[in-house]
Amino acid sequence: MNSRQTPIPLRPTACPGLLRIVQALDGGICRIKLSGGAIRSEQAVAVADAAELYAGGIIEATNRANLQIRGIDGQQTALIDRLLAAGLGPGSAAADDVRNLMLSPTAGIDRQMLFDTRPLADRILTTVQQNERFHDLSAKFAVQLDGGEALAMLEHPHDVWLSAFERDGECRLAFGLAGCPTDTPAGSVTLNDGHDLVVAVLDLFLELARPEQSRMRHLLAEHSADDFLSRLAERVRFQVICDGLRTTRPGALHIGICPQAESGRVYIGAQPPLGRLDPAMLRGTAELAQAFGDASLRFTPWQSLLLPNVRDEHAAEVVLRLEQLGLLCSPDLALSRLIACTGSVGCGKGLADTKGDALQLAGLLQRYGHVLHVHLSGCPRSCAAAHIAPVTLLAVSIGRYDLYFRDAAQPGFGALHARNLTIEAVATLLDARARSPLDA
């Protein structure tokens, strides 16, 4: 693709892309889609430079393991050119929207993985970029490929998901539609047929879906899953799975020092406070990856990052330097467990300063000695979290929130527990709940 591009017209979804700058209250947003969440050190430096030179210096890690730059003003073309020159763009301008394939952040290095998903992911991404028919997919249409890693986000819904499992000595890929790997699979294919399955699903979706049916769930509301699968069976071989799969994982950490499959190597997970990095933080982290790792970073669906392939003897020093840059490297910090959307500071739909309120809440929870997973959302769209958090605060006005607790029997955020609470009242209520013997 030509190294010089100007912003392309907005599609109806108006999702940000690298070539599509979408306006917000705090300026334009440019979203950089990372293959498998990975970025080379020199590319990370290019992102830091672009954010510093052409925007407001705010870089966000997203819940799909991508990056976005906020606060872009009048230098959109210069920013885009900088990122394209670093190799962060799509194969063609029209292909940017379809690069939505999420892997485990530890693909290829996880001690529990059943196979390395990266070659298959590269093949799928190459196909969807090179075939113009797939460019009609919605910018939100997404695929997940799970290789059985211990560190995996299994709760984000995807239009198509594939998850590795082992049975009778054979590794296969279970798959499902409009859901998560924790759902009952629709069927399974061999590893060699994974690419053809995804292509067949995408082709069939585009044939059946009306223009307003941009997601798989929209199509399945009209065409039954059984009908879709019957048509799919005419295009690709798959086996029906009669029983569910075990999807629980040991729960590897995305924060702190964790061993890799290769002896003597670790990855180090670090959390940018509330998912935001400044240029110095990203540049410094890239330099650490260059000096102590494999000159790459991996971003995660938890809005954090990993430095892979660090030697055991260097781990403590890397953690110290990450903390000096302002990243959180301990899961025992309350702030490391909180997520918040942009809020009213940068979004016209936000009813409260969610990030400012999250900082206040983190301080109160730390004082009480509690480390809880809490999601603060400025409006019902829930942009910061694709999954349902154990605790959700939904803004209703400046500094006030409705409080929800996750409940599998309840739709949306879960069960409404209290309305119109201040942050201080939320902290007091959560402290009392944590101390209650009924919740022990």
Side-chain angles (χ1 to χ4, degrees), residues 169-204:
E170 181 187 17
C171 184
R172 294 178 64 87
L173 286 167
F175 71 91
L177 309 172
C180 313
T182 54
D183 298 337
T184 301
S188 74
V189 295
T190 66
L191 296 186
N192 289 336
D193 288 335
H195 170 268
D196 292 346
L197 172 75
V198 173
V199 170
V201 169
L202 299 185
D203 272 331
L204 184 56

Side-chain angles (χ1 to χ4, degrees), residues 340-382:
C341 66
T342 300
S344 57
V345 172
C347 177
K349 297 184 183 297
L351 298 179
D353 177 9
T354 50
K355 290 200 182 290
D357 292 337
L359 290 173
Q360 181 186 0
L361 179 61
L364 292 169
L365 292 176
Q366 197 74 48
R367 186 188 309 167
Y368 288 137
H370 301 311
V371 180
L372 305 173
H373 291 277
V374 183
H375 166 214
L376 288 83
S377 186
C379 78
R381 294 187 304 165
S382 186

